[in-house]
Amino acid sequence: MKGKTKRESQTVLTQRMLPQDANPAGNVHGGVTLKYIDLAAATVAMRHCRSNAVTVSIDRMDFLKPVFVGEVVNFKASLNYTGSSSMEVGVRVESENMFTGEKRYCASAYLSFVALDPNGKPREIPPLILETDEDHRRWKEAEARRTLRKTERKRERESQQRAVGRTTE
């Protein structure tokens, strides 16, 4: 399968935040931010694999600064890593005050996706072609997160199995 570069799938989703996006404190609700992060990341994943792709996990969702109603928010998403059917997408969230021009780095997240065939089964995806030093750095960091996710999943399964064993005894 022919590989693809990060540039072939990256995207910027721009959204103006309106009053219905606010939480009780008057800032943009974190769930609204998460929705757009997932949408931008899914766009990247689906562009890369040219098929349906579903979110498997969200890692390191960091809210760094608030987003305010009325601001324009850019959700910058790009591919960091590919496996045989899975991929990691990084999303950087930046807000812009329309009146002052001030821009702030507000949030970031790493999301894992699996590509699906028409029957809903995992399918092979194109490998990611690494072009720059930054691409290589992001790949290595994504590999480390992937290893950590697998270790955590295994530990959680074992813990759940032990808990089930205690309740049936």
Side-chain angles (χ1 to χ4, degrees):
M1 183 175 284
K2 184 179 180 230
K4 296 169 87 173
T5 66
K6 176 177 76 174
R7 290 179 287 119
E8 293 179 74
S9 62
Q10 66 189 9
T11 193
V12 177
L13 172 64
T14 301
Q15 184 68 36
R16 184 158 180 231
M17 296 300 165
L18 301 173
Q20 66 263 23
D21 300 320
N23 63 20
N27 302 326
V28 172
H29 193 284
V32 171
T33 301
L34 277 168
K35 172 186 171 181
Y36 289 115
I37 286 171
D38 191 41
L39 183 59
T43 300
V44 168
M46 293 169 82
R47 273 185 177 161
H48 183 78
C49 65
R50 293 295 177 198
S51 69
N52 194 21
V54 293
T55 310
V56 175
S57 68
I58 299 176
D59 291 349
R60 289 297 315 264
M61 180 61 243
D62 294 319
F63 293 100
L64 306 170
K65 294 185 179 169
V67 175
F68 302 111
V69 171
E71 290 183 323
V72 169
V73 182
N74 289 308
F75 298 85
K76 300 177 178 182
S78 60
L79 199 59
N80 293 334
Y81 175 87
T82 56
S84 58
S85 63
S86 65
M87 60 205 106
E88 183 193 271
V89 179
V91 182
R92 179 182 172 100
V93 180
E94 297 176 352
S95 68
E96 178 183 352
N97 181 306
M98 295 285 287
F99 301 114
T100 67
E102 175 198 5
K103 294 180 182 178
R104 292 183 326 281
Y105 171 33
C106 295
S108 64
Y110 299 106
L111 297 86
S112 297
F113 288 83
V114 169
L116 301 177
D117 68 16
N119 298 315
K121 302 293 183 195
R123 68 177 286 275
E124 187 178 359
I125 62 171
L128 179 62
I129 298 170
L130 305 176
E131 299 181 296
T132 67
D133 289 343
E134 180 184 348
D135 291 348
H136 286 275
R137 177 188 59 79
R138 291 169 67 107
W139 177 280
K140 286 179 185 169
E141 291 171 358
E143 275 185 317
R145 285 187 293 274
R146 183 173 191 248
T147 300
L148 183 59
R149 274 192 306 275
K150 285 183 170 189
T151 301
E152 287 179 3
R153 271 192 223 121
K154 181 181 178 196
R155 187 174 47 235
E156 288 171 5
R157 274 194 303 273
E158 290 169 352
S159 176
Q160 290 168 355
Q161 289 170 348
R162 284 192 303 273
V164 169
R166 282 193 301 263
T167 60
T168 59
E169 294 174 355

